[in-house]
């Protein structure tokens, strides 16, 4: 990068860290550190919810996901608005009335201590792992730009954000997320504009959309039902609803954002607006990936977007790389030529256009097959790198196309997005491990100062744990998919516990505790044997808890429960 880009990158990141430390200064109690004194207005709640979900993985991996698989990933969010309504009706009033620090406090009141602890541990395990993956995403950037070892960049990325998270707690997180998200949205919109601006002369937005459509990248709606298809309208509406219900209703990283609200109204407004805004925002981010495909249909694309991995293959197997490059050069020239020919003929609707589109699709298939062979060779070369180059596609465009200054800002954006979600996750992990595990079994009563010290130590410990997880994230392929698969392994049973708590008053703690364990085993078995796509795991997990709990009533006499 240029000196100007480095200046923009460093200045932006330092400014956010300093702002976070400044705004979060003077913490004196856990009420402030973990819940921001319950003073957040609805718009801060909204931004916090969106920023917590929209990590660097969203902005780094989602365009690559659309580039390789089209825009059908957006269907994953179709169940979100309905889930927000259910949470506003059922979850928020209970959490606000009980004035909880974590979502799992309610479960002890409704069931018993062991159910609360079990649910907390499921959350801590899944969120701790996914936070590590979120740290790894921006580490890719540092590693690529500086040609540094990925393990070193994991430590740097995770360590820097710990500064204001450790010092400022929930208040610092809420206000830095506001600043981060405004910078992110503006910069990503400008990046989309620059993709079109850098197209060959005379080719505009409509032309790019036309090419993306003919290549199958605008496949927003997939109506065909298939249990194993990851993204179709049915898995999105049903599986996505259950995943969103669990994530926003029972995951402390999200619950921790809206329990900081001033009151019920502000919490509900923030959550409902998230349901309305999230789908168009994700659509726009995926559209950037589809436009990138059109861009590289008209201009030379690299043989592999992870340049460092390919360079390693080239050094180890120069003869094989030479064969790959010759085939790639011929196919890319043919692909670019056919793309331009399609745009010349698109208004004619002639037989020649139909034939050119068929040739274009055949060449696209050959390019994809070559890419697969290159990827296989790289993965066999024993180079410690990602299984795919999906996460590098948008990054490659940024590095090699955008003007000076903009490159540094976009790299800063990916860091900011990462920090927004990771800081919230660390805060929620600390709140959960402290309140639901540590203090639950500690007999003595602690004063505010001591409890605040423990909160910060838990934050630090989870930061170190997440950095450790990031060290093992190199073999997960598309990061945005990896995070959602990981969540789906645990969210279903967690959601099922809460659904039983809210709607099945006759079921007691002993029943639901055993049902949760059996359901988690069932979900892992279904995933291990690849019976259905991952979104359905959320439905299976939630339903299994309810069914197993109901069966348990045949063996255990129900006890009176608190509501």
């Amino acid at each position: 990068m240029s000196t100007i880009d480095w200046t923009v990158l460093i200045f932006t990141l330092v400014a956010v860290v300093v702002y976070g430390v400044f705004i979060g200064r003077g913490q004196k109690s856990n009420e402030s550190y973990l819940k921001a004194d319950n003073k957040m207005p609805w718009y801060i709640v909204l931004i916090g919810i969106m920023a917590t979900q929209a990590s660097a993985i969203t902005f780094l991996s989602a365009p690559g996901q659309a580039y390789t698989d089209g825009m059908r990933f957006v269907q994953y969010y179709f169940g979100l608005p309905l889930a927000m309504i259910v949470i506003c009706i059922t979850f928020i009033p209970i959490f606000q009335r009980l004035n909880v620090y974590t979502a799992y406090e309610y479960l002890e009141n409704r069931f018993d201590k062991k159910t609360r602890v079990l649910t907390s541990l499921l959350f801590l395990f899944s969120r701790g792992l996914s936070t590590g993956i979120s740290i790894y995403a921006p580490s890719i950037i540092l590693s690529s730009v500086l040609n540094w070892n990925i393990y070193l960049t994991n430590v740097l990325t995770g360590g820097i954000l710990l500064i204001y998270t450790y010092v400022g707690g929930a208040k610092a997180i809420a206000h830095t997320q506001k600043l981060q998200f405004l910078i992110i949205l503006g910069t990503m919109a400008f990046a989309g504009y620059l993709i079109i601006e850098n197209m060959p002369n005379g080719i505009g937005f409509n032309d790019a959309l036309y090419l993306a459509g003919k290549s199958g990248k605008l496949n927003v709606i997939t109506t065909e039902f298939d249990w194993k298809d990851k993204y179709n309208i049915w898995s999105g509406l049903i599986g996505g609803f259950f995943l969103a219900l669990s994530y926003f209703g029972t995951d402390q990283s999200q619950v921790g954002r809206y329990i900081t609200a001033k009151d019920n109204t502000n919490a509900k407004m923030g959550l409902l607006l998230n349901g309305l805004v999230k789908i168009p925002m994700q659509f726009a981010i995926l559209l950037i990936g589809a436009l990138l495909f059109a861009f590289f249909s008209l201009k030379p694309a690299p043989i592999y977007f992870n340049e460092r991995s390919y360079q390693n293959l080239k050094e180890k197997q120069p003869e094989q790389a030479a064969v790959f490059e010759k085939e790639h050069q011929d196919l890319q020239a043919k692909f670019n030529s056919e793309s331009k020919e399609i745009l010349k003929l698109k208004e004619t609707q002639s037989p020649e256009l139909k034939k050119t589109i068929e040739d274009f699709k055949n060449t696209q298939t050959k390019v994809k097959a070559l890419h697969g062979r290159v990827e296989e060779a790289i993965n066999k070369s024993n180079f410690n790198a990602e299984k795919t180059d999906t996460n590098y596609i948008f990054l490659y465009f940024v590095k090699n196309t955008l003007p000076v200054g903009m490159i540094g800002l976009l790299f800063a954006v990916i860091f900011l997005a990462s920090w927004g979600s990771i800081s919230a996750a660390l805060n929620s992990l600390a709140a959960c491990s402290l309140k639901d595990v540590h203090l639950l079994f500690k007999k003595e009563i602690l004063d505010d100062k001591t409890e605040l010290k423990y909160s910060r130590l838990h934050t630090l410990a989870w930061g170190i744990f997440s950095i450790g997880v990031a060290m093992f994230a190199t073999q997960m392929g598309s990061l945005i998919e990896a995070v959602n698969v990981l969540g789906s392994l645990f969210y279903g049973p967690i959601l099922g516990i809460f659904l039983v708590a809210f709607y099945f008053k006759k079921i007691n703690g002993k029943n639901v505790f055993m049902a949760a364990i059996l359901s988690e085993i069932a979900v892992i078995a279904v995933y291990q044997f690849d019976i259905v796509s991952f979104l359905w795991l959320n439905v299976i997990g939630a339903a299994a808890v309810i069914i197993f709990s109901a069966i348990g009533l045949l063996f255990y006499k129900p006890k009176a429960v608190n509501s």
Side-chain angles (χ1 to χ4, degrees):
M1 289 199 304
S2 68
T3 303
I4 294 175
D5 285 311
W6 276 114
T7 303
V8 170
L9 173 63
I10 293 171
F11 174 80
T12 305
L13 298 184
V14 170
V16 170
V17 172
V18 171
Y19 177 70
V21 172
F22 174 78
I23 204 75
R25 70 195 187 285
Q27 302 288 335
K28 294 180 180 179
S29 70
N30 262 359
E31 185 75 16
S32 177
Y33 189 78
L34 297 179
K35 295 176 66 179
D37 293 317
N38 294 103
K39 292 182 178 179
M40 295 297 110
W42 67 266
Y43 57 89
I44 296 291
V45 173
L46 168 63
I47 292 173
I49 290 169
M50 295 187 70
T52 299
Q53 187 183 23
S55 67
I57 293 170
T58 302
F59 300 102
L60 182 64
S61 186
Q65 179 79 19
Y67 186 100
T68 56
D69 191 45
M71 293 181 62
R72 67 197 188 111
F73 182 79
V74 76
Q75 295 169 111
Y76 164 82
Y77 297 97
F78 282 2
L80 180 64
L82 182 58
M84 298 301 96
I85 294 171
V86 174
I87 293 169
C88 286
I89 293 172
T90 304
F91 291 64
I92 288 180
I94 291 175
F95 293 153
Q96 287 281 346
R97 174 168 55 85
L98 296 176
N99 193 29
V100 296
Y101 278 90
T102 76
Y104 318 113
E105 285 183 56
Y106 164 71
L107 296 178
E108 183 178 5
N109 182 56
R110 170 62 177 86
F111 294 124
D112 50 37
K113 185 184 291 187
K114 67 178 184 294
T115 304
R116 174 183 177 180
V117 173
L118 173 65
T119 313
S120 300
L121 290 175
L122 289 175
F123 161 73
L124 289 169
F125 184 69
S126 61
R127 180 52 53 196
L129 292 178
S130 61
T131 303
I133 299 172
S134 297
I135 287 177
Y136 176 69
S139 296
I140 291 173
I141 300 170
L142 270 182
S143 177
S144 177
V145 172
L146 300 177
N147 201 27
W148 287 359
N149 185 287
I150 190 68
Y151 299 123
L152 175 61
T153 58
N154 282 334
V155 174
L156 283 175
T157 305
I160 294 172
L161 72 93
L162 261 175
I163 297 172
Y164 71 84
T165 308
Y166 176 86
V167 173
K171 185 179 179 183
I173 292 165
H175 286 283
T176 52
Q177 283 179 329
K178 174 184 66 177
L179 179 63
Q180 290 161 351
F181 209 61
L182 293 175
I183 296 172
I184 288 166
L185 291 182
T187 307
M188 290 299 290
F190 191 51
Y193 166 77
L194 289 176
I195 292 174
I196 303 302
E197 279 296 296
N198 282 279
M199 293 282 184
N201 290 338
I203 295 175
F205 179 70
N206 290 335
D207 295 322
L209 282 182
Y210 187 81
L211 270 181
K214 293 305 177 186
S215 63
K217 302 304 177 184
L218 299 183
N219 53 343
V220 177
I221 304 292
T222 308
T223 57
E224 185 177 348
F225 183 84
D226 183 350
W227 285 107
K228 288 196 172 185
D229 184 18
K230 296 175 185 175
Y231 310 114
N232 57 56
I233 194 168
W234 310 110
S235 64
L237 282 172
I238 303 171
F241 166 75
F242 278 87
L243 178 57
L245 196 61
S246 185
Y247 178 52
F248 290 96
T250 71
D251 188 310
Q252 180 61 25
S253 66
Q254 285 293 354
V255 175
R257 306 288 65 77
Y258 56 76
I259 63 173
T260 63
K262 292 178 180 180
D263 50 37
N264 260 341
T265 303
N266 279 273
K268 289 177 180 179
M269 282 182 65
L271 206 57
L272 287 172
L273 286 172
N274 170 65
L276 294 175
V277 173
K278 180 62 182 177
I279 294 175
M281 187 190 85
Q282 196 66 43
F283 178 91
I285 295 169
L286 288 165
L287 184 60
I288 288 175
L291 293 175
L292 275 177
F293 187 88
F295 179 88
F296 285 116
S297 298
L298 296 163
K299 288 192 171 186
I303 190 170
Y304 202 69
F305 285 98
N306 186 340
E307 298 168 285
R308 191 176 175 190
S309 291
Y310 182 72
Q311 185 59 35
N312 177 75
L313 176 69
K314 197 172 180 179
E315 291 171 1
K316 287 186 174 180
Q317 303 176 36
E319 293 182 2
Q320 185 178 25
V323 173
F324 284 150
E325 287 174 13
K326 177 65 172 67
E327 185 178 351
H328 171 73
Q329 188 176 7
D330 294 343
L331 283 174
Q332 193 64 41
K334 190 170 186 291
F335 196 48
N336 292 157
S337 174
E338 288 166 349
S339 299
K340 292 172 184 175
E341 187 66 22
I342 286 173
L343 293 180
K344 285 181 184 177
L345 297 171
K346 75 171 186 174
E347 301 298 336
T348 65
Q349 299 301 318
S350 63
E352 188 180 354
L353 173 62
K354 185 177 179 182
K355 175 67 168 58
T356 305
I357 290 174
E358 288 177 2
D359 292 341
F360 169 79
K361 289 180 177 179
N362 288 333
T363 306
Q364 181 183 342
T365 302
K366 291 176 182 177
V367 169
K368 186 175 181 179
L370 172 62
H371 179 272
R373 297 203 307 275
V374 172
E375 194 162 81
E376 184 180 6
I378 289 173
N379 288 332
K380 287 181 178 178
S381 69
N382 296 319
F383 182 64
N384 186 23
E386 292 80 357
K387 289 166 63 178
T388 74
D389 62 346
T390 303
N391 304 312
Y392 286 82
I393 295 171
F394 182 58
L395 180 59
Y396 180 90
F397 170 78
V398 170
K399 282 176 60 181
N400 294 280
T401 309
L402 297 191
V404 172
M406 190 65 192
I407 297 173
L409 184 59
L410 261 170
F411 283 168
V413 157
I414 296 173
F415 275 96
L416 295 180
S418 170
W419 288 0
S421 62
I422 297 168
S423 60
L426 293 179
N427 182 256
S428 67
L429 286 165
C432 187
S433 61
L434 178 69
K435 290 289 186 179
D436 296 325
V437 182
H438 185 164
L439 296 183
L440 203 61
F441 296 98
K442 194 174 182 65
K443 302 296 183 183
E444 61 183 295
I445 298 175
L446 304 177
D447 58 35
D448 285 345
K449 187 176 181 180
T450 304
E451 200 168 323
L452 177 59
K453 181 186 75 172
Y454 278 132
S455 294
R456 286 184 167 143
L457 288 175
H458 277 253
T459 302
L460 179 63
W462 281 111
I464 294 170
F465 174 84
S466 299
I467 291 170
V469 172
M471 302 300 187
F472 298 95
T474 58
Q475 298 299 314
M476 291 188 174
S478 171
L479 295 179
I480 194 166
E481 192 171 286
V483 166
N484 290 317
V485 170
L486 181 61
S488 295
L489 288 172
F490 298 94
Y491 282 153
I494 292 174
L495 175 61
I497 293 169
F498 277 89
L499 292 179
V500 169
F502 292 148
Y503 302 117
F504 298 88
K505 296 300 183 181
K506 288 186 177 181
I507 295 175
N508 60 16
K510 184 179 287 188
N511 287 335
V512 80
F513 180 82
M514 290 304 302
I517 293 175
L518 292 173
S519 299
E520 188 58 53
I521 293 171
V523 167
I524 292 172
V526 169
Y527 173 74
Q528 196 67 33
F529 290 105
D530 194 25
I531 297 172
V532 297
S533 69
F534 74 87
L535 275 175
W536 292 106
L537 297 177
N538 300 281
V539 185
I540 292 169
V545 173
I546 296 171
I547 293 169
F548 287 141
S549 295
I551 292 173
L553 286 176
L554 301 175
F555 302 97
Y556 298 108
K557 188 176 180 180
K559 297 178 182 179
V561 296
N562 299 318
S563 57

